[in-house]
Structure formats: C-alpha cells, structure tokens
Amino acid sequence: MGLILGLVLILVLLIFATRYLYSKFWLERADKYNKCEHCGKYYENHPFYCPHCGEVVDERKE
C-alpha cells in the first residue's frame, strides 16, 4: 500500500515539475503564445479576452 502511494506521489510531482519547466522555459519562446499583462498567464491564437482572467488583450481598432 505504501509503495503504491509513493509511486503515485512521485508521478504527480513529476507531472507538476514538467508542467512548470514547460511553462517557464519553452512556452516563453513559442511564437504562437502570448502573455497576458494582467494575470501573467499564457494564451494562444490571439483572443480578444484573456481566457484566464477575462482582461482585454486585443484592442482592435476597426
């Protein structure tokens, strides 16, 4: 029982570590991703509002 819980804990920590490294180092260099100035999270495909916080990220002057 303890071995299974240990393996699950290691797996969860590994997943969080890889997501952190992905967002910290690779995502900043990707051209198709942008960073919200309000919340600091990344978004994709040039939306009008940030999908995380709802802040306006694209003020189109049409």
Side-chain angles (χ1 to χ4, degrees):
M1 183 71 169
L3 180 64
I4 295 173
L5 290 176
L7 290 175
V8 169
L9 179 63
I10 289 173
L11 181 63
V12 168
L13 289 175
L14 187 63
I15 289 171
F16 279 110
T18 54
R19 288 188 71 196
Y20 172 76
L21 291 174
Y22 170 76
S23 66
K24 185 71 175 173
F25 297 108
W26 187 82
L27 198 55
E28 292 178 359
R29 295 174 182 88
D31 290 337
K32 63 181 180 178
Y33 283 89
N34 296 317
K35 188 174 186 180
C36 177
E37 295 178 2
H38 183 255
C39 66
K41 294 185 179 181
Y42 291 95
Y43 56 88
E44 180 180 16
N45 295 334
H46 306 292
F48 188 73
Y49 293 101
C50 176
H52 305 288
C53 67
E55 186 75 18
V56 175
V57 293
D58 185 18
E59 297 181 15
R60 297 180 184 137
K61 308 289 187 199
E62 296 180 339

